[in-house]
Amino acid sequence: MESESESGAAADTPPLETLSFHGDEEIIEVVELDPGPPDPADDLAQEMEDVDFEEEEEEEEGNDEGWVLEPQEGVVGSMEGPDDSEVTFALHSASVFCVSLDPKTNTLAVTGGEDDKAFVWRLGDGELLFECAGHKDSVTCAGFSHDSTLVATGDMSGLLKVWQVDTKEEVWSFEAGDLEWMEWHPRAPVLLAGTADGNTWMWKVPNGDCKTFQGPNCPATCGRVLPDGKRAVVGYEDGTIRIWDLKQGNPIHVLKGTEGHQGPLTCVATNQDGSLILTGSVDCQAKLVSATTGKVVGVFRPETVASQPSLGEGEESESNSVESLGFCSVMPLAAVGYLDGTLAIYDLSTQTLRHQCQHQSGIVQLLWEAGTAVVYTCSLDGVVRLWDARTGRLLTDYRGHTAEILDFALSKDASLVVTTSGDHKAKVFCVQRPDR
């Protein structure tokens, strides 16, 4: 695959209207975000006439052996206690690493685990829809396409597979390098992934047209497609950050040295309109970056480690790192979760620490509830917690896992939280809040 050097980024690159792929004359139109009536998104699917995109209408027979509505007995673990969950999915035989919900209906989940298996199942009753078979290594990435018609699974060895949800058939597979992250394009049947060789890959599914974006000679540890669908931000193990032009294939901005991080990147997020990017690293810093200029406009660091000396190149903090971060959609706030259990709420307008919420164990991931100032966290103690970012107050928590939570997802209406854990289970919690 051809790629352009970092110096080849043209400042006068015209606005992108399409994503183009090598080896094929087809073009995918990317629809701009627009609060008004959307442009015909069906044009994206029309490029794929050989795939049936109709919604599933018939109920399929499931396997009810994979779910229970009551707490499990005889589960070995150190966190025994009440189970607040409504549904437990128990078909995995090892740690469950990842979960994603279908974006269209929020009625299906896909989970992947250390048992080399991935399953698509119903949230309402835990009924198995189908198994995504054929992986030979831990499944660490899984997700549905923007229209919920396709589901992708990826394992640590770099084997990626895509399944058509309504027919339950595998429609595409590819073997890349060791997999670091995977994400669907927000409005097209296009899959992106980062690998340990530093490459970021982009495929049109299912015909497999491919493009690569060559980073430094180190893993591309995290990535996110910007909301405009035309750019992607990728973080690397050497602390550098690149904002890629998905059509031209060149980096628009490269942040390195003092502009980048002093250790491997762990996570990246964008705000709702894509104007700001937040990056996190094992160097304990979260950097606020302008997506337009590529300049760092703010640096956040927890007060608990503010007095530590700066880390040298390639050094990692022994006690702490940024594990997850995100933007509030209704207030100028950002949340950063740290391995030492600190949830920091920062005010973006003043770039000051607003609240510091302490957990008893490390934070694994955080998510903002859409349309509110509520932050959800999951942590190594197996508990999901809801925090009011305006006051820093703990609203409620949900328990039921007997080991650490490794991933979680939130339904669009924030009525359900779905968690995966080292106890080999995935659980569905119904969120009830008196303030809503």
Side-chain angles (χ1 to χ4, degrees):
M1 298 296 169
E2 66 179 32
S3 67
E4 297 183 29
S5 66
E6 295 171 6
S7 62
D12 58 349
T13 302
L16 306 181
E17 298 302 327
T18 61
L19 295 177
S20 63
F21 293 81
H22 295 297
D24 195 301
E25 295 298 325
E26 294 182 343
I27 291 177
I28 294 179
E29 181 180 356
V30 176
V31 183
E32 291 282 350
L33 287 175
D34 188 342
D39 291 348
D42 290 340
D43 290 347
L44 303 175
Q46 288 173 2
E47 296 289 333
M48 308 171 55
E49 297 174 354
D50 56 330
V51 178
D52 180 9
F53 280 90
E54 293 180 4
E55 293 181 36
E56 179 177 5
E57 296 180 356
E58 297 183 6
E59 295 225 348
E60 304 288 346
E61 291 185 5
N63 181 351
D64 61 2
E65 295 177 358
W67 62 276
V68 288
L69 294 179
E70 297 296 329
Q72 294 280 284
E73 294 183 1
V75 178
V76 178
S78 59
M79 306 178 201
E80 298 286 359
D83 189 350
D84 302 321
S85 66
E86 299 295 320
V87 174
T88 298
F89 181 80
L91 274 185
H92 286 282
S93 59
S95 294
V96 191
F97 289 138
C98 56
V99 61
S100 180
L101 307 187
D102 85 279
K104 189 173 182 181
T105 68
N106 274 198
T107 60
L108 301 178
V110 57
T111 51
E114 191 179 16
D115 54 5
D116 307 348
K117 294 183 181 299
F119 300 104
V120 176
W121 49 279
R122 302 183 197 279
L123 293 178
D125 55 12
E127 186 177 8
L128 177 68
L129 194 62
F130 64 93
E131 178 181 349
C132 305
H135 287 287
K136 301 191 185 309
D137 205 342
S138 298
V139 178
T140 53
C141 299
F144 291 89
S145 61
H146 71 289
D147 57 4
S148 298
T149 59
L150 302 171
V151 62
T153 55
D155 66 34
M156 288 182 67
S157 72
L159 176 60
L160 297 102
K161 291 176 173 287
V162 174
W163 313 77
Q164 190 167 324
V165 175
D166 60 356
T167 65
K168 307 176 185 177
E169 294 179 350
E170 182 181 327
V171 296
W172 178 85
S173 67
F174 188 90
E175 291 193 47
D178 291 351
L179 186 64
E180 296 282 336
W181 59 271
M182 181 189 80
E183 180 175 279
W184 282 99
H185 189 277
R187 282 180 304 285
V190 171
L191 189 66
L192 289 91
T195 50
D197 58 9
N199 283 332
T200 296
W201 302 72
M202 183 169 71
W203 302 274
K204 192 166 75 171
V205 178
N207 71 11
D209 288 347
C210 179
K211 195 170 198 173
T212 56
F213 308 86
Q214 292 183 352
N217 190 24
C218 67
T221 52
C222 55
R224 181 65 54 90
V225 181
L226 270 60
D228 63 6
K230 302 172 181 179
R231 296 166 294 166
V233 55
V234 180
Y236 299 88
E237 190 179 68
D238 64 357
T240 60
I241 305 158
R242 285 165 175 77
I243 301 175
W244 292 93
D245 181 324
L246 294 180
K247 179 174 185 283
Q248 301 297 331
N250 62 284
I252 306 169
H253 302 292
V254 179
L255 289 79
K256 55 187 177 181
T258 57
E259 289 285 285
H261 285 276
Q262 302 307 305
L265 272 83
T266 55
C267 48
V268 62
T270 68
N271 64 346
Q272 215 166 17
D273 65 8
S275 61
L276 292 172
I277 296 167
L278 200 57
T279 62
S281 167
V282 299
D283 67 5
C284 285
Q285 293 187 356
K287 295 203 171 190
L288 189 65
V289 178
S290 165
T292 304
T293 66
K295 299 297 183 183
V296 175
V297 294
V299 179
F300 303 111
R301 188 177 177 88
E303 290 184 350
T304 53
V305 295
S307 60
Q308 290 184 1
S310 296
L311 294 170
E313 186 72 29
E315 283 188 71
E316 299 182 14
S317 169
E318 292 182 1
S319 60
N320 206 7
S321 67
V322 175
E323 295 297 309
S324 186
L325 35 71
F327 292 90
C328 178
S329 63
V330 294
M331 297 178 69
L333 301 175
V336 182
Y338 297 88
L339 185 60
D340 72 352
T342 302
L343 170 66
I345 308 296
Y346 295 102
D347 187 319
L348 296 178
S349 55
T350 60
Q351 297 196 10
T352 56
L353 179 67
R354 185 159 175 169
H355 299 292
Q356 195 161 274
C357 313
Q358 204 60 44
H359 298 62
Q360 304 238 331
S361 59
I363 295 172
V364 175
Q365 192 181 343
L366 66 82
L367 294 169
W368 285 92
E369 180 178 307
T372 74
V374 175
V375 185
Y376 293 62
T377 60
C378 65
S379 54
L380 295 174
D381 61 5
V383 182
V384 173
R385 293 177 174 85
L386 279 63
W387 303 85
D388 186 338
R390 298 166 299 180
T391 63
R393 183 171 66 92
L394 176 66
L395 296 174
T396 187
D397 59 36
Y398 294 93
R399 299 168 186 266
H401 283 294
T402 58
E404 68 278 7
I405 296 176
L406 299 174
D407 194 14
F408 77 153
L410 181 63
S411 63
K412 282 187 289 190
D413 64 0
S415 63
L416 298 176
V417 175
V418 187
T419 56
T420 64
S421 170
D423 64 8
H424 309 178
K425 306 290 193 298
K427 287 181 175 287
V428 181
F429 297 89
C430 289
V431 178
Q432 298 176 341
R433 291 220 322 274
D435 59 319
R436 189 166 56 190

